[in-house]
Amino acid sequence: MAAIGCGREAIHRAYFANLQGLDVGTVSAVAQSWFAAETASGAYYHAPTVDRLRRHQQRGDHIAILSGSFPALVLPMARDLGVEDVQCTQPEMIHGRYTGGFEGAPLIGPAKGAAARRAALRAGLDPGNCAAYADHLSDLPMLEAVGKAYVVGGGTALRALARARGWRLLDGPPEQPTPHQQAGMAMAPRLAV
């Protein structure tokens, strides 16, 4: 969908529609198994990003993961990394099954910027004294909501904007294969601090 120009919210809606009718507990169990297998491979995390996270943790900084993904995929990573403040897209559930919709708006675009400000304020921090790490143009409102913006990898447009605004550019992880190259790849959550 991205390749033909669909916006991030349309892509999210289509992605979450695929959950319709699935049992929440089963999806959570599958996600935990997937995460365990991915981390066991040793290639799940982008080491330079985790190193930055660890430095923030050592300084006692408040860390929040803000993700457009959903709890089944984000929470195992957050637990593994020792991050308690997690905000992500909340899929709608009825009677223990996903409906394919959302509770509220997906946590992308302006909603992610608002979430960054809320996370800072709840922690008693001035958002202007906070940092955010992002890899997609849809994360722009989050990057604009804080005082220090870091682009990790990211597309050409986001990197150009970062250069124009004087934001720090960090190398991203190696490109992941497309679904056409590797069938069955799950949408992985992104780390935002």
Side-chain angles (χ1 to χ4, degrees), residues 147-158:
K148 291 181 185 176
Y150 297 86
V151 173
V152 182
T156 306
L158 180 59

Side-chain angles (χ1 to χ4, degrees), residues 113-167:
R117 287 186 292 278
R118 280 193 310 272
L121 295 173
R122 270 198 321 271
L125 303 169
D126 175 351
N129 293 329
C130 295
Y133 295 77
D135 68 348
H136 193 270
L137 193 56
S138 67
D139 295 324
L140 185 58
M142 178 181 68
L143 295 170
E144 291 173 332
V146 299
K148 291 181 185 176
Y150 297 86
V151 173
V152 182
T156 306
L158 180 59
R159 290 183 76 78
L161 186 59
R163 280 186 203 91
R165 294 188 180 188
W167 294 345

Side-chain angles (χ1 to χ4, degrees), residues 43 70 91 174:
F70 66 114

Side-chain angles (χ1 to χ4, degrees), residues 1-15 18 180:
M1 290 178 70
I4 62 170
C6 291
R8 191 77 161 195
E9 188 164 339
I11 293 169
H12 266 66
R13 289 196 184 284
Y15 178 82
N18 286 314
H180 298 289

